[in-house]
């Protein structure tokens, strides 16, 4: 009687394998979890998730057909890599449009990602972050030098006042 009435998430599961539906749903749960962590900028937890993904191999033979944990791991890594790439695109866009406030937020996000995801070079490449930060710093330095040259005299400052806007 008890085995006939086992329900998984409100749906009658296979009597022989009552948790198959839950285990097979792990792919969706992990995708949604990774998306949520990224949206909430919880990169430390995202790093922990990546570290623990290999533990999925223990679930492979618990369901029929086999879970194939490597496909799930690859899918989750690709998802996270896509989000990282999107932040990098945002950096380039904000840099081009001179939206410095958004650019600062993007660079702060990249630094946090680097801190927690640098162990996964296929997802996060530190060299890219260094390149964009150096590019921004170089541009700021050039702008500072140009501003100093404009302020070298009162006449020069008046002539170039529109360049400060």
């Amino acid at each position: 009687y008890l085995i006939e009435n086992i329900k998984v998430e409100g749906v009658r599961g296979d009597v022989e394998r009552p948790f198959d539906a839950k285990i097979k749903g792990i792919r969706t749960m992990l995708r949604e979890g990774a998306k949520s962590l990224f949206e909430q900028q919880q990169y430390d937890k995202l790093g922990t998730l990546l570290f623990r993904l290999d533990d999925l191999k223990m679930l492979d033979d618990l369901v029929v057909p086999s879970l194939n944990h490597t496909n799930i791991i690859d899918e989750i890594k690709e998802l996270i890599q896509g989000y990282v790439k999107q932040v990098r695109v945002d950096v380039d866009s904000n840099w081009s449009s001179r939206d410095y406030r958004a650019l600062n937020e993007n660079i702060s996000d990249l630094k946090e990602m680097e801190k927690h995801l640098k162990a996964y070079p296929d997802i996060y490449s530190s060299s890219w972050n260094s390149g964009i930060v150096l590019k921004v710093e170089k541009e700021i330095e050039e702008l500072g030098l140009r501003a100093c040259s404009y302020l070298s005299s009162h006449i020069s400052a008046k002539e170039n006042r529109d360049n400060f806007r």
Side-chain angles (χ1 to χ4, degrees), residues 131-160:
I132 193 67
V133 170
L134 288 174
K135 185 177 174 182
V136 170
E137 287 175 350
K138 181 181 175 190
E139 179 74 16
I140 291 170
E141 183 75 26
E142 289 173 6
L143 289 172
L145 291 172
R146 194 166 9 145
C148 287
S149 72
Y150 292 159
L151 296 174
S152 62
S153 70
H154 185 65
I155 295 168
S156 175
K158 279 189 170 192
E159 289 174 356
N160 295 299

Side-chain angles (χ1 to χ4, degrees), residues 82-95:
Y83 283 121
V84 171
K85 285 181 181 177
Q86 181 58 48
V87 173
R88 291 177 173 171
V89 168
D90 291 345
V91 166
D92 288 334
S93 297
N94 291 327
W95 176 250

Side-chain angles (χ1 to χ4, degrees), residues 124-135:
Y124 186 89
S125 171
S126 296
S127 64
W128 187 91
N129 187 31
S130 299
I132 193 67
V133 170
L134 288 174
K135 185 177 174 182

Side-chain angles (χ1 to χ4, degrees), residues 27 30-31 53 72-80:
R27 176 187 311 264
L30 287 171
R31 284 182 62 83
L53 280 177
I72 295 173
I73 291 172
D74 291 343
E75 187 177 326
I76 299 304
K77 284 184 174 183
E78 285 175 24
L79 176 75
I80 295 170

Side-chain angles (χ1 to χ4, degrees), residues 1-7 12 15 18:
Y1 173 76
L2 290 175
I3 291 179
E4 290 176 8
N5 292 306
I6 291 176
K7 293 186 178 185
R12 179 173 283 189
V15 175

